[in-house]
Amino acid sequence: MTALLEVEDLRIAYGKIEAVKGISFKVEAGEVVTLIGTNGAGKTTTLRTLSGLLKPVGGQVKFNGKSLRKVPAHQIVSLGLAHSPEGRHIFPRMTIEDNLLLGAFLRNDKEGIAKDVQRAYDLFPILGERRKQAAGTLSGGEQQMLAMGRALMSQPKLLMLDEPSMGLSPIMMQKIMATIAELKAEGTTILLVEQNAQAALSLADHGHVMEIGKIVLSGSGQDLLHDESVRKAYLGED
Ligand SMILES: Nc1ncnc2c1ncn2[C@@H]1O[C@H](COP(=O)(O)OP(=O)(O)OP(=O)(O)O)[C@@H](O)[C@H]1O
Ligand SMILES: [Mg+2]
């Protein structure tokens, strides 16, 4: 059986600078896979390439068995790959509800959309309570919830989350991680980029450690969580 996402020897450059230097990994349907690693390792660059925002200089990406090489970004969404970007990128002057609806821009099944909006409110009640308010009035953590909710509105086969816990209080972070666990339990396939290695590895089926454009270590979430070099470098132990 082929994996839902197959990345093979992917290379990505900004001008002459190669930010991702040939990485390979897979995401099977139903799994949570995490990419962790230092600042500037190439995690965001990788996700932006998978969603078609950057063009790779080499390598292969297959989604559902199909090469993404010539597929433009908007069609990648329609194939079932959704991206909740680093820094959220919500539209602050639009209402929370309209931000959510943007995530469904490719759909025209009114009833299904209404059901999924309700589901986002069930996952994140604060979004429902404030649905008619401008999204810019939400706190950072609430905006993260909105970004996740919006990504889910396309009914993705693969949900990519770039640092969902960035800048959040410990309680907010726990809430976001609990929601990711809930989505996993429902069978959502997730590619999670996180600075919080402890939280990400605890949830993940598989993890990959990136350093300056390469994957330097791979394993199950639990193995990496207990790996000595990971503990030293990413979990603040000495
Ligand atoms: N638009 C750009 N132009 C030139 N270089 C860039 C650009 N965006 C990112 N880079 C560089 O590419 C490398 C990888 O960056 P990237 O944002 O993918 O890292 P990251 O792993 O997501 O880091 P962080 O954990 O800090 O978010 C870095 O050296 C970064 O400076
Ligand atoms: Mg990043």
Side-chain angles (χ1 to χ4, degrees), residues 30-84:
E31 276 188 337
V32 174
V33 172
T34 188
L35 301 178
I36 59 171
T38 43
N39 291 120
K43 306 179 298 295
T44 295
T45 300
T46 300
L47 293 197
R48 289 178 58 82
T49 304
L50 296 178
S51 37
L53 301 171
L54 294 171
K55 288 290 156 215
V57 292
Q60 270 254 43
V61 178
K62 278 191 186 166
F63 185 63
N64 241 343
K66 182 182 181 333
S67 168
L68 294 187
R69 189 196 303 267
K70 292 196 176 134
V71 186
H74 67 278
Q75 275 178 26
I76 289 181
V77 178
S78 67
L79 291 176
L81 211 158
H83 186 177
S84 173

